[in-house]
């Protein structure tokens, strides 16, 4: 190969050799400049309009857009919120692609908090300064504020937090422990008796549900920057086996437990657990449920228990079919009896935002995260607040506007019954979220969390769907695969046996 290059070069006239050499040098220089052309040097040109990138709004009424419209009316602007996808994973992928390619599509990212380290360390975000936001930080719950920090620097302003809730049909027993709910996998728990639905599809929500099951067994997955799952091998295998036993009983073979919303026995069993799991409600497989389909199964079917995020509360509360003739709700809500995993979203400024637009972006973010906006997001959209005083207000007897219509100062502050959550309902809702946040843990705050999540879910989900036997998992090797993923490398075998 070297000889051919020499022959090609030697055949050129001296003038063309010098021209080729000069062109090569210019190419190298331009390539080097391109590599150095990052961060604020790639700032986009200002168009006078701020665009927020977000995942789809699953709340009742899509209130985030209403809040942006309020901002536009107040400030005489035309800023916009673009909803990318109802999948957190897909929304993250689009935002990351836009940031990496320096597309001037988005000025502010509404990020799931687990992706903030990845975006910050890749240079996609601009640090928020105490001068811009510091006055608000003492009012934000410490854990929520810390979730938006990377290397002790604040890269995002929390907009909403999240913690799992347990919804149950009115009159069903309240499980005090995780074992009460799921039992030992042989239908001994309440969920096996009355039916249960969670989120076990192959996406980030599935990771969270599987992590909660493992943590609720007394095991630990990570501690700080370390993977410690291998120290809890038996508890981990038992947790996955028990969950498989529960879901398999609801999925399975014609002996569906009374009152469950599990699938029917119509399709013949097949070698793959996913193939034999056919939901009689016509919404796909039990192991493919996500937040929305879980909510539909709980509302329309006869599922007794549901694990879901707080967004489900207003959706159920405002559904006439979920109320008795006297107006009382046909469901109850509480914190998850085991360990929960926190979530949440925060607003981050793109590193390529034009400097002249930054003051407007700061004002927009401060408006969206103000105490007044937080109350509206909670009362009108069901978004869990990030400000401590909002919880104190709703859990107290303090006087003041509470409902959505009261907070918006509508001309008719007494809407039709059932058209909005009442003050007592909002109090119960706030209490459930507050209790859930106190019992929940955060996911690993790592730059390569997405790879870690894929690896954990790939193995744990196979054990739950029955593709592999949970008790045959080599937890030491599984933990090592998670360490590899935590470093940003995909392991060859995410679920070694």
């Amino acid at each position: 190969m070297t000889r051919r290059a020499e022959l090609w070069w030697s055949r050129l006239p001296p003038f063309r050799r010098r021209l080729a050499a000069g062109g090569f040098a210019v190419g190298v220089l331009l390539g080097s400049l391109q590599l150095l052309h990052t961060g604020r040097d790639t700032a986009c040109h200002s168009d006078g309009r701020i665009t927020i990138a977000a995942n789809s709004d699953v709340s009742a009424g899509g209130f985030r857009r209403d809040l942006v419209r309020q901002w536009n009316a107040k400030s005489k602007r035309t800023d916009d919120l673009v909803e990318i996808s109802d999948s957190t994973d897909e929304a993250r992928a689009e935002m990351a692609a836009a940031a990496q390619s320096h597309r001037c599509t988005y000025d502010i990212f509404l990020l799931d908090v687990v992706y903030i380290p990845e975006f910050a360390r890749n240079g996609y975000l601009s640090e928020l300064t105490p001068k811009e936001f510091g006055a608000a930080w003492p009012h934000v719950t410490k854990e929520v504020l810390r979730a938006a920090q990377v290397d002790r620097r604040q890269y995002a302003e929390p907009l909403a937090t999240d913690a799992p809730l347990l919804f149950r049909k009115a009159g069903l027993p309240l499980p005090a422990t995780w074992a009460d709910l799921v039992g030992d996998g042989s239908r001994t728990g309440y969920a096996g008796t009355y039916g249960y639905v969670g989120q076990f599809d192959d996406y980030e929500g599935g990771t969270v549900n599987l992590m909660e099951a493992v943590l609720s067994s007394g095991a630990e997955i990570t501690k700080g920057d370390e993977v410690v799952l291998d120290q809890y091998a038996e508890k981990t295998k038992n947790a996955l086996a028990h969950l498989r036993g529960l879901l398999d009983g609801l999925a399975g073979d014609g002996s569906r437990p009374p009152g469950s919303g599990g699938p029917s026995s119509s399709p013949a069993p097949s070698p793959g657990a996913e193939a034999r799991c056919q939901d009689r409600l016509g919404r796909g497989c039990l192991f493919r449920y996500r937040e929305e389909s879980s909510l539909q199964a709980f509302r329309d079917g006869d599922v007794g228990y549901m694990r879901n995020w707080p967004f489900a509360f207003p959706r159920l509360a405002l559904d006439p079919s979920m109320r008795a003739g006297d107006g009382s709700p046909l469901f109850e809500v509480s914190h998850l009896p085991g360990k929960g995993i926190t979530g949440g979203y925060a607003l981050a400024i793109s590193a390529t935002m034009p400097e002249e637009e930054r003051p407007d972006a700061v004002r927009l973010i401060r408006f969206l995260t103000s105490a007044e906006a937080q109350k509206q997001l909670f009362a009108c959209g069901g978004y869990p607040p990030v400000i401590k005083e909002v919880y104190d207000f709703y859990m107290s007897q303090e006087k003041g506007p509470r409902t959505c219509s009261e907070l918006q100062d509508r001309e008719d502050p007494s809407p039709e019954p059932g058209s909005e959550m009442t003050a007592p309902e909002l109090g119960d809702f706030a209490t459930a979220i507050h209790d859930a946040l106190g019992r929940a843990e955060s996911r690993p705050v790592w730059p390569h969390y997405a790879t870690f999540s894929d690896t954990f879910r790939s193995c744990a989900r196979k054990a739950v769907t029955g593709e592999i036997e949970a008790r045959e998992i080599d937890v030491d090797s599984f933990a090592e695969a998670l360490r590899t993923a935590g470093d940003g490398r995909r392991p060859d075998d995410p679920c070694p046996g």
Side-chain angles (χ1 to χ4, degrees):
M1 190 65 103
T2 303
R3 185 178 178 182
R4 289 183 182 178
E6 289 174 350
L7 290 172
W8 168 81
W9 181 262
S10 63
R11 287 198 298 266
L12 288 176
F15 169 75
R16 290 191 178 275
R17 289 187 206 174
R18 291 193 295 271
L19 187 63
F24 178 76
V26 170
V28 171
L29 177 61
L30 290 176
S32 301
L33 290 174
Q34 180 66 29
L35 289 174
L36 293 172
H37 195 54
T38 58
R40 301 303 298 169
D41 292 336
T42 60
C44 302
H45 295 292
S46 174
D47 60 2
R49 177 176 178 157
I50 296 170
T51 301
I52 304 173
N55 66 325
S56 297
D57 191 346
V58 296
S59 68
F63 188 73
R64 293 185 317 200
R65 283 191 175 278
D66 292 342
L67 211 53
V68 173
R69 281 193 283 267
Q70 286 183 33
W71 158 258
N72 284 334
K74 175 184 176 181
S75 58
K76 296 181 172 56
R77 292 184 58 82
T78 58
D79 299 329
D80 193 21
L81 185 146
V82 175
E83 296 179 355
I84 297 171
S85 170
D86 59 359
S87 166
T88 302
D89 303 341
E90 292 175 5
R92 169 211 156 265
E94 160 60 16
M95 293 183 209
Q100 186 175 29
S101 61
H102 304 297
R103 277 192 270 138
C104 299
T105 312
Y106 312 118
D107 303 298
I108 296 175
F109 299 114
L110 182 57
L111 288 170
D112 186 311
V113 292
V114 297
Y115 300 128
I116 292 174
E118 171 193 352
F119 276 62
R121 297 226 170 111
N122 282 328
Y124 302 157
L125 306 181
S126 176
E127 183 181 352
L128 308 186
T129 67
K131 181 179 180 181
E132 295 169 322
F133 296 96
W137 291 341
H139 301 281
V140 179
T141 306
K142 287 183 179 179
E143 293 75 13
V144 175
L145 189 66
R146 193 178 301 121
Q149 296 174 354
V150 180
D151 300 328
R152 298 185 179 180
R153 295 180 177 181
Q154 199 74 36
Y155 279 94
E157 185 78 352
L159 177 71
T161 186
D162 237 347
L165 300 176
L166 181 70
F167 297 83
R168 68 187 191 279
K169 294 295 175 65
L172 293 188
L174 172 64
T177 66
W178 181 251
D180 289 340
L181 178 64
V182 304
D184 61 2
S186 60
R187 303 180 193 169
T188 57
Y190 298 148
T193 302
Y194 300 103
Y196 177 80
V197 66
Q199 298 79 48
F200 295 101
D201 199 2
D202 190 10
Y203 76 121
E204 180 58 26
T207 296
V208 171
N209 277 247
L210 293 165
M211 282 184 172
E212 288 172 348
V214 171
L215 294 174
S216 295
S217 72
E220 295 286 345
I221 302 169
T222 62
K223 189 169 293 184
D225 294 333
E226 299 294 326
V227 173
V228 295
L229 187 70
D230 42 349
Q231 300 176 25
Y232 303 91
E234 287 305 309
K235 289 183 177 179
T236 298
K237 289 189 282 190
N238 287 340
L240 297 176
H242 291 171
L243 189 58
R244 183 205 168 176
L246 167 67
L247 298 180
D248 202 41
L250 298 177
D253 55 3
S255 56
R256 187 169 50 86
S260 86
S264 70
S265 58
S266 52
S270 64
E274 299 214 284
R276 73 168 182 266
C277 176
Q278 182 62 43
D279 178 7
R280 70 184 180 85
L281 298 176
R283 297 189 180 91
C285 172
L286 181 66
F287 300 115
R288 294 194 185 103
Y289 275 123
R290 296 193 177 197
E291 286 82 1
E292 192 66 34
S293 50
S294 298
L295 177 61
Q296 292 173 356
F298 181 78
R299 181 191 64 194
D300 300 340
D302 52 352
V303 181
Y305 293 88
M306 172 182 69
R307 179 263 181 228
N308 218 323
W309 300 103
F311 88 93
F313 184 91
R315 294 278 294 277
L316 294 171
L318 300 179
D319 188 337
S321 69
M322 293 303 297
R323 290 190 179 274
D326 61 0
S328 61
L330 295 175
F331 71 98
E332 298 177 75
V333 65
S334 62
H335 59 75
L336 203 66
K339 288 274 189 172
I341 294 289
T342 58
Y345 291 88
L347 294 156
I349 297 176
S350 169
T352 58
M353 168 174 275
E355 285 292 349
E356 58 268 31
E357 284 188 359
R358 187 177 178 93
D360 290 324
V362 170
R363 284 191 288 270
L364 170 56
I365 292 175
R366 288 174 63 177
F367 171 82
L368 295 175
T369 57
S370 65
E372 186 60 32
Q374 286 280 295
K375 287 182 180 179
Q376 291 190 51
L377 280 168
F378 175 64
C380 303
Y383 282 96
V386 298
I387 298 177
K388 294 175 285 187
E389 288 84 349
V390 176
Y391 288 101
D392 295 339
F393 173 73
Y394 275 98
M395 293 190 298
S396 71
Q397 300 299 316
E398 183 181 342
K399 293 183 179 180
R402 270 180 161 72
T403 66
C404 182
S405 59
E406 291 170 348
L407 290 167
Q408 294 184 315
D409 196 23
R410 297 178 189 167
E411 293 182 4
D412 178 13
S414 302
E416 290 295 321
S419 65
E420 68 175 11
M421 290 180 284
T422 66
E425 288 170 346
L426 288 167
D428 293 341
F429 187 26
T431 300
I433 297 172
H434 185 269
D435 292 346
L437 287 170
R439 302 167 61 94
E441 299 183 9
S442 62
R443 287 164 282 181
V445 185
W446 295 348
H448 303 294
Y449 172 78
T451 307
F452 175 89
S453 174
D454 289 346
T455 302
F456 177 85
R457 183 175 68 251
S458 176
C459 184
R461 190 169 183 269
K462 287 179 181 177
V464 170
T465 60
E467 186 175 338
I468 61 175
E469 288 296 329
R471 301 192 189 282
E472 294 180 2
I473 296 175
D474 183 341
V475 179
D476 288 342
S477 298
F478 183 24
E480 195 56 40
L482 292 177
R483 293 185 184 102
T484 299
D487 290 335
R489 296 172 289 125
R490 293 191 178 274
D492 294 333
D493 184 358
C495 200

